[in-house]
Amino acid sequence: MHAPAPAARAARIEHLDALRGLALLGIAVVNIGVFASPWWGLGAPDPAFAAPFDRLLQALVAALFEMKFYLLFSFLFGYSFSLQQGAAARAGQAFAPRMGRRLLGLWLLGALHAALLFHGDILTTYALMGALLLGLSRAGETAQLRIAHGLIVATALAWAALGALAWLQPAPAADAAAQAQALLRGFTGAPADVLAARAGELAATWPILLLLQAPCALAMFLYGLAAGRRTLAARLDEYRPLLRRLRRIGFAVGLPAALALGAIEAWPASEPVQLWVLALSLLTAPLLSLAYAALALPWFARGGARIADRLAPAGRMALSNYLLQSAAMALLFTGYGLGWMGRVSPAAALAIALALFAAQLWLSRAWLRRFAYGPVEWLLRAATIGAWPRMGKAAY
């Protein structure tokens, strides 16, 4: 077996950056819904946008994007972890202290992001799960994969059990309209009101994020770690049968469950049914996310090379772009700026997300023509190595 040539390896890394850029697009499409509508996550549709087209678009976004692209991002986190670990080993450097500093920096960035811009922050979760990944990285691959499978199954079973509990002991129906109005007043008020509303939402959502997102993110970290140690992206031809299986199983199993998730978000069912469908999606969304990766990576290497070239710069500075997305959406939809929350249709919100991402593609390419790192990546690297790195000039 021959190792890939340096040029081939560089191209494969660019394909990972392109996949990260694609994940960034999916995250924007999901997150803008949280900013645009005070009804998001309340289990009831927004009566201002209840036309059939609005409902259909909400269903498609939920089915194809929600819980898929943060998992794809998580897979890439694990893959990058393996590359950094391998580079430290080749250089004879201690990996754990550097990664520990990096994770601490990531947690601090996430905490600021959650408090100031977006209560659905994923960075703090990544930092906490990254610390667990650091410990689990010493285990064998078989043990790691079993832990990943177990995390996904256990999380799905836990939410299915909550559905059974809700069926046996129904809770009083919440007044979704009153909750939505309170959120709208808070998030479109003065900046101090926005901060208070976000603090309230953060207190309510962080336990759910830890119980729902964290175990699945860690599982995808472990899948990405295994793929990275096998240098899968640099050996796509050798793993063609595996990629075919991932596509076949992922779409066959994950897509029907995703469509069910989209249906109950656009046309809500009872609370037990919503929880059971969520549990099914938690069980199958990792397969669909891996199917997305198994579809995109070979395509980037062949017919989609031009698209990969456009996406890769955004993926190289994904952390900066993730935070920039939240800042732009906060300025558009909250009292920090225009206060458009509740006034924008699902179609308009999707168009804004696409326009924002298109601008980020241009901005990322322009930035990386002059600098080696995105601005937030530069700060995080400084925290990692304990020194100010040179920005230099990127190879783009």
Side-chain angles (χ1 to χ4, degrees):
M1 183 183 299
H2 300 286
R9 287 198 297 270
R12 303 308 188 186
I13 295 300
E14 180 171 286
H15 296 156
L16 289 174
D17 288 333
L19 189 60
R20 195 173 287 110
L22 184 63
L24 190 69
L25 169 61
I27 288 170
V29 168
V30 173
N31 286 355
I32 200 167
V34 186
F35 282 93
S37 176
W39 291 81
W40 197 95
L42 295 182
D46 185 344
F49 302 106
F53 178 74
D54 292 327
R55 296 281 186 92
L56 179 61
L57 189 58
Q58 288 173 318
L60 289 175
V61 168
L64 300 178
F65 292 89
E66 283 185 19
M67 295 199 302
K68 316 305 184 302
F69 284 87
Y70 96 87
L71 291 177
L72 182 56
F73 221 102
S74 303
F75 172 82
L76 292 166
F77 184 101
Y79 201 114
S80 297
F81 185 100
S82 75
L83 297 179
Q84 295 171 51
Q85 194 174 41
R90 289 191 296 273
Q93 298 174 345
F95 176 69
R98 288 166 61 99
M99 180 53 67
R101 291 192 295 270
R102 184 178 185 86
L103 293 173
L104 177 59
L106 188 65
W107 188 89
L108 291 172
L109 285 170
L112 289 172
H113 177 232
L116 300 177
L117 295 175
F118 182 44
H119 54 272
D121 168 75
I122 193 66
L123 301 181
T124 49
T125 299
Y126 275 15
L128 295 173
M129 295 303 101
L132 293 178
L133 179 66
L134 188 59
L136 291 172
S137 65
R138 302 183 182 93
E141 181 180 290
T142 300
Q144 291 169 352
L145 294 179
R146 286 176 177 170
I147 291 170
H149 301 338
L151 286 167
I152 292 169
V153 172
T155 304
L157 289 175
W159 285 90
L162 288 176
L165 185 61
W167 178 60
L168 293 170
Q169 298 180 347
D175 188 345
Q179 292 179 11
Q181 285 303 312
L183 288 172
L184 185 63
R185 285 193 301 270
F187 278 113
T188 57
D193 297 323
V194 176
L195 289 172
R198 183 168 293 109
E201 284 297 286
L202 187 60
T205 57
W206 76 261
I208 297 174
L209 293 178
L210 282 179
L211 292 173
L212 191 150
Q213 288 187 332
C216 294
L218 180 55
M220 295 300 284
F221 285 1
L222 290 167
Y223 292 143
L225 182 66
R229 286 179 173 172
R230 289 170 174 257
T231 61
L232 184 147
R235 298 157 61 188
L236 291 174
D237 289 339
E238 296 177 40
Y239 285 99
R240 194 176 299 172
L242 173 62
L243 296 173
R244 276 198 301 267
R245 286 197 300 274
L246 286 173
R247 291 192 295 267
R248 185 172 62 250
I249 297 172
F251 286 115
V253 175
L255 196 55
L259 292 173
L261 179 71
I264 65 161
E265 291 209 13
W267 297 278
S270 65
E271 184 182 9
V273 172
Q274 290 187 47
L275 289 169
W276 288 330
V277 172
L278 175 61
L280 180 63
S281 191
L282 285 167
L283 186 64
T284 59
L287 286 171
L288 189 53
S289 296
L290 292 174
Y292 285 174
L295 183 66
L297 283 173
W299 183 63
F300 288 157
R302 295 183 179 88
R306 184 172 296 182
I307 300 297
D309 182 64
R310 295 292 185 272
L311 290 170
R316 282 188 60 193
M317 46 188 291
L319 180 56
S320 295
N321 280 318
Y322 172 68
L323 296 174
L324 180 59
Q325 284 178 358
S326 293
M329 291 175 190
L331 288 173
L332 289 174
F333 293 101
T334 76
Y336 288 170
L338 299 178
W340 282 354
M341 177 181 270
R343 297 159 54 189
V344 172
S345 70
L350 178 60
I352 292 169
L354 295 176
L356 174 59
F357 184 70
Q360 289 187 305
L361 291 179
W362 176 85
L363 181 61
S364 299
R365 181 167 289 274
W367 180 275
L368 290 173
R369 285 196 183 104
R370 297 186 60 191
F371 304 109
Y373 309 101
V376 184
E377 286 77 9
W378 180 78
L379 283 173
L380 190 58
R381 181 164 177 78
T384 302
I385 65 176
W388 298 112
R390 292 181 59 185
M391 286 294 282
K393 185 176 180 181
Y396 274 82

